[in-house]
């Protein structure tokens, strides 16, 4: 399955942004460029092409929370 429709990608991008904000509190702009899902032998492989934009302070906070700062 390929998701390349601009309309569908826009809806998915907004949903991902809302989930990230709700779960983490970070305000990150997400743009889904392409999504490809392949199912083979009961396993699913998902490939995403995503661009994200966030403030420097939020990036530093994320890095600190995972121990990279």
């Amino acid at each position: 399955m390929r998701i390349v429709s601009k309309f569908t990608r826009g809806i998915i991008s907004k949903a991902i942004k809302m989930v990230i904000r709700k779960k983490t509190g970070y305000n990150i702009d997400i743009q889904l460029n392409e999504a490809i899902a392949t199912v083979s032998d009961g396993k699913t492989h998902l490939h995403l092409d995503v661009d994200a934009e966030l403030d420097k302070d939020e990036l530093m906070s994320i890095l600190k929370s995972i121990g990279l700062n």
Side-chain angles (χ1 to χ4, degrees):
M1 172 195 310
R2 282 180 83 116
I3 299 175
V4 292
S5 160
K6 187 175 182 177
F7 177 74
T8 305
R9 289 183 292 125
I11 291 172
I12 294 170
S13 296
K14 287 179 183 180
I16 292 169
K17 180 179 178 176
M18 288 174 36
V19 169
I20 289 173
R21 187 181 311 139
K22 183 176 180 180
K23 296 281 185 179
T24 67
Y26 298 121
N27 186 23
I28 301 174
D29 288 326
I30 300 287
Q31 180 182 350
L32 178 62
N33 299 317
E34 183 180 40
I36 301 171
T38 307
V39 179
S40 177
D41 297 328
K43 291 188 176 186
T44 303
H45 175 81
L46 181 62
H47 172 80
L48 300 174
D49 179 7
V50 178
D51 290 322
E53 204 168 293
L54 62 154
D55 292 334
K56 180 182 174 187
D57 294 337
E58 287 180 328
L59 175 61
M60 297 309 289
S61 178
I62 291 170
L63 293 175
K64 188 176 183 177
S65 72
I66 61 174
L68 293 177
N69 187 0

